[in-house]
Amino acid sequence: MLKDYIVPRHLGIIMDGNGRWAKKRGLLRINGHKEGMLVLKRTVESCKNLGVDFLTVYAFSTENWKRPKLEVSFLLNLLKYYINSELDYLKENNVSLRFIGSRIGLDKKIISMMEMIEKETSNGTEMIFSIAFNYGGRMEISDSVKEIALMVKNGNLLPEDINEDLITNHLYTKNIPDPDLIIRTSGEFRISNFLLWQSAYSEYYITDILWPEFNEEELVKAFKVFSARNRRFGGI
Ligand code: FPP
């Protein structure tokens, strides 16, 4: 069937509202995250079926360590569960999964699971799916700058040759185009340190729907709004 909307090439999602969803139902916050993980699985399928080429979701920020210990360890375990339960689906459906963010502070087991699924799915060409985990946009930019400074220090680069492309090519997202659309659920009007550099010209779509209530119908709604936007990239 011919689509009456444009599908963004790169979609970013800030999956917010798990805690509020759980609270509304008299449940613990962790139940919201569990439900959010199931919604993430379905959203990956929808994006792949609708023709999204790059999907990047925000699962755990560098600031999320401030949450209660129990919630943090639940989220870490949820990632392990997700990796184990999605490996076959991602491989069979040609989806390549990668993680963006810092590995510092993560335990050995989780890092080896991340590396395993990245390797196992690395041939996937249908969609590049990135999970931002232990991710912060400011940290990503400063890590990029650190790598570049080292090149200058070692005599491999002149300061006058530092430009936007060079910084872009040292971000965790190197080889991935900038996001066209970023969806944020739960009605908050904030970037929250997500893809700061890359979202310079991204369109934002904010919905009041809480992440565990998100579905394909809401996704298509966002795509329709995106299709009607006039992207000028600073031009007229
Ligand atoms: C924000 O909601 C959500 C998170 C910090 C976690 C996102 C995680 C998932 C959607 C589950 C999938 C995760 C993995 C590891 C694959 P919030 O807790 O800030 O909600 P609130 O603003 O209502 O409190």
Side-chain angles (χ1 to χ4, degrees), residues 196-210:
L196 286 186
W197 177 275
Q198 301 89 332
S199 64
Y201 289 103
S202 303
E203 295 294 325
Y204 265 86
Y205 177 84
I206 316 276
T207 169
D208 283 335
I209 298 267
L210 304 172

Side-chain angles (χ1 to χ4, degrees), residues 147-210:
E147 282 185 19
I148 293 168
L150 211 58
M151 290 163 70
V152 173
K153 187 180 166 210
N154 295 337
N156 297 322
L157 180 76
L158 294 170
E160 52 269 37
D161 290 334
I162 297 173
N163 56 28
E164 293 182 14
D165 283 344
L166 191 71
I167 293 176
T168 301
N169 291 331
H170 285 266
L171 297 173
Y172 308 141
T173 53
K174 51 182 153 276
N175 306 324
I176 293 180
D178 288 344
D180 302 289
L181 173 68
I182 295 181
I183 295 176
R184 181 166 189 149
T185 55
S186 93
E188 305 287 354
F189 285 73
R190 277 194 294 277
I191 302 179
S192 298
N193 212 5
F194 182 57
L195 301 180
L196 286 186
W197 177 275
Q198 301 89 332
S199 64
Y201 289 103
S202 303
E203 295 294 325
Y204 265 86
Y205 177 84
I206 316 276
T207 169
D208 283 335
I209 298 267
L210 304 172

Side-chain angles (χ1 to χ4, degrees), residues 80-98:
K80 290 181 192 159
Y81 176 85
Y82 182 84
I83 291 174
N84 281 332
S85 65
E86 287 309 272
L87 178 62
D88 290 346
Y89 168 82
L90 297 173
K91 271 169 83 170
E92 279 158 24
N93 287 277
N94 245 335
V95 176
S96 169
L97 172 60
R98 350 178 139 169

